[in-house]
Amino acid sequence: MFVFSKLVWIFGQPLSLAFFLGLLAFIATLLRWRASAITASLLSLLILFVALYTTAGAYVVQGLEERFPRAAADPADLKCMIVLGGATQNEVTTARGGYELDSAGDRLVEALRLAQKYPQARIVISGGDGSIGGSYEGDAVISERFFTALGISTSRMVEDRTSRTTFENAVNTKELLAQNGLSDCLLITSGFHMPRSMGIFRKQGIPVVPWPVDYRSTGKETLRFDFTQPSLNAQLLATGLREWTGLVGYYFVGRTSALYPAP
C-alpha cells in the first residue's frame, strides 16, 4: 500500500500527467492516430497552463487550510503536543548532518515555541523515513537533534521513528500516548494537511486539538490568471491535489472518519 501510493502520486501529479499526455500525443502522431494525438496534446497543454499560470493551486490549498481555523490564543495549559513528520530534508540531512528544514519547517518551529513556553509539555515526534528506498534518517531522529540543539531535553520527547505515512503516524502515536499516559494533545501539522490528519486521528479514537501551522495561501485567494510565479503555482497545485487524493483514497479504504473532516 505504501509503495503503491508513492508510485501513484509520482505518475499522477499535474506536471507528470502533462508529460505523459505529451508522450502519448507523440506516440499517437507516429501511429497516425490524429484525433488521439490532438486530444492528448490539448489536455497536456491545458494541465500545464492551469498548473503554471493560474492560482488554482493556491485556491485549492486555501480551502484545505481554512477547514480547521487557527486558534485565537495559546492554550491556558499544555501537557503534550504531537508533531507530524515532513518538516525536514531527510536526504540532505543524512548526507550532511544537522537538521535542515524544508518548507514545512514551521511544524518544528511552532513546537519549539510551545515547548519553551510550556516547560512541562511533552513532545511526541512522529515520523520515520518516508522514502521508497528507506535509506535516510527519519524525521524523528532529525527533529530530536533540532530540539536538543535549541535547549529542549530529550527526557521531554517521545519518539516514533518508524511511521512513513499519516496513517502510520496515528497508529503508532496511539500506542505511544497510552504507554506514556498522555492524552488531549495538540496536533501540530501544516494547515493543508490538517483535515486528513484529523480524520485519521479521529478514526483511531485519538482525541487531539488541531493546531495548524505552515500556511501556503494568503486566505484571500481567488481563481485568476497569474503569470508571475509559475513554479510556485505548480507546486501549490501539486500540494493541494495530493491532499485531496489522500482524503479520497483514505476515506474509501476506511482510514478516515469522513471524506472531508471538519471541526
Side-chain angles (χ1 to χ4, degrees), residues 160-237:
D160 157 31
R161 297 190 175 195
T162 62
S163 61
R164 301 166 299 173
T165 65
T166 309
F167 175 71
E168 292 178 0
N169 286 147
V171 171
N172 294 342
T173 296
K174 183 177 183 179
E175 183 177 345
L176 290 174
L177 294 177
Q179 291 173 355
N180 290 272
L182 301 173
S183 62
D184 301 309
C185 304
L186 296 187
L187 179 61
I188 301 175
T189 190
S190 301
F192 66 83
H193 188 233
M194 189 59 75
R196 182 157 60 107
S197 301
M198 287 298 295
I200 296 169
F201 273 73
R202 286 172 177 170
K203 186 72 173 183
Q204 290 295 316
I206 309 171
V208 290
V209 177
W211 201 261
V213 296
D214 176 36
Y215 287 90
R216 311 289 176 91
S217 72
T218 63
K220 301 176 182 178
E221 304 291 349
T222 58
L223 288 173
R224 56 185 173 80
F225 297 125
D226 179 12
F227 299 97
T228 64
Q229 48 185 9
S231 60
L232 179 59
N233 290 336
Q235 183 181 31
L236 287 171
L237 184 59

Side-chain angles (χ1 to χ4, degrees), residues 147-165:
F147 286 122
T148 54
L150 295 170
I152 305 301
S153 171
T154 55
S155 63
R156 297 177 60 187
M157 302 177 204
V158 179
E159 297 180 24
D160 157 31
R161 297 190 175 195
T162 62
S163 61
R164 301 166 299 173
T165 65

